[in-house]
Amino acid sequence: YAGRASPIRTAVDLAELVAHLQPLLRVTVPRQSRLDCQVAHSLPRLIGDPSHMRQILMNLILNAVEALGGKPGTIRVAIDRTVPADPADKGTPWIGIRVSDTGCGMTPEVLKNLFNPFYSTKAEGRGLGLTAVRNLVEGMGGTIEAHSVPGQGTTFTLLFPALQADEEVPNPDSEDAVEDDPGWTGSGTVLLVDDEPELRMLGSAMLGQAGLRVLTA
């Protein structure tokens, strides 16, 4: 949350990013629940940092898993073209991302403070996850809103300006770019220690996909 590193700015293909991320997303969702990913065809790309976009999606999915509270339910990720509410932006193509769950929902009081730093409803929560998500979204020129009803679930709606046909695409191979190879594999054994079960599960899944043997504590 406090980091101020310069993000990578390159053209991001959300359909490809979600396709690579889906196996990891499905590992984070309990077996008794369902993950439904729907990505529209022929989506325009957006300008941003692929690693930040993955962090945004993973954080929202983990929040949705917690909202289910171990009970059966559904988490949906829908990505498509959209039209912004602001008439001044009607000429700009936009991409909408909706992450919704059928979990416990939130009260108006919780919803009002949701993105505030250090606000948390968890006994041992840190309250920085959604604050970081909001900062990453706004750093890519996007917006994020949440709608929730107690007992009926929650929906996060994200809007990002899409890359226009005549817009120059940043070069990901420039000196400022950081190598981002989703196909990297390794070998060996890793001991992963964390006091939060969700982070142990997520970290174990990520390292396991990279070919590592993971021990958790």
Side-chain angles (χ1 to χ4, degrees), residues 17 29 32 35 38 40 53 59 71 73 94 100-101 110 116 118 120 125 138 140 151 153 170 185 199 204 206 213:
L17 185 144
V29 176
Q32 67 269 27
L35 176 65
Q38 300 178 354
M53 183 58 68
N59 199 307
K71 300 178 181 178
W94 287 74
S100 59
D101 64 71
V110 172
N116 292 341
F118 305 111
S120 178
E138 292 178 350
M140 288 190 280
T185 58
L199 293 183
S204 180
M206 295 174 68
R213 176 173 177 260

Side-chain angles (χ1 to χ4, degrees), residues 155-167:
T155 298
F156 287 91
T157 301
L158 293 72
L159 295 178
F160 293 96
L163 180 66
Q164 301 188 59
D166 58 350
E167 190 173 351

Side-chain angles (χ1 to χ4, degrees), residues 13 16-24 50-51 54 178-186 205-211:
D13 184 333
E16 182 179 353
L17 185 144
V18 171
H20 284 300
L21 197 57
Q22 271 203 57
L24 185 57
S51 64
R54 285 193 289 269
V178 176
E179 185 176 356
D180 184 17
D181 180 9
W184 181 89
T185 58
M206 295 174 68
L207 294 168
Q209 279 199 334

Side-chain angles (χ1 to χ4, degrees), residues 98-177:
R98 288 180 300 280
V99 179
S100 59
D101 64 71
T102 57
C104 59
M106 292 179 281
T107 64
E109 177 66 20
V110 172
L111 200 59
K112 182 177 67 174
N113 294 286
L114 193 61
F115 296 106
N116 292 341
F118 305 111
Y119 178 82
S120 178
T121 58
K122 305 174 190 175
E124 299 179 356
R126 295 171 181 82
L128 289 176
L130 288 174
T131 306
V133 166
R134 182 195 60 189
N135 289 352
L136 293 176
V137 169
E138 292 178 350
M140 288 190 280
T143 62
I144 180 170
E145 294 181 350
H147 174 76
S148 186
V149 177
Q152 298 183 27
T154 301
T155 298
F156 287 91
T157 301
L158 293 72
L159 295 178
F160 293 96
L163 180 66
Q164 301 188 59
D166 58 350
E167 190 173 351
E168 183 178 349
V169 179
N171 180 11
D173 296 324
S174 66
E175 293 181 359
D176 295 331

Side-chain angles (χ1 to χ4, degrees), residues 21 24-25 27-28 58-59 62 192 196-208:
L21 197 57
L24 185 57
L25 293 176
V27 170
T28 65
M58 287 302 308
N59 199 307
L62 286 174
L192 175 63
E196 296 190 18
E198 293 86 359
L199 293 183
R200 290 199 303 271
M201 178 179 64
L202 174 60
S204 180
M206 295 174 68
L207 294 168

Side-chain angles (χ1 to χ4, degrees), residues 46-62:
L46 58 85
I47 298 296
D49 187 328
S51 64
H52 286 181
M53 183 58 68
R54 285 193 289 269
Q55 185 178 344
I56 289 167
L57 291 173
M58 287 302 308
N59 199 307
L60 293 178
I61 293 293
L62 286 174

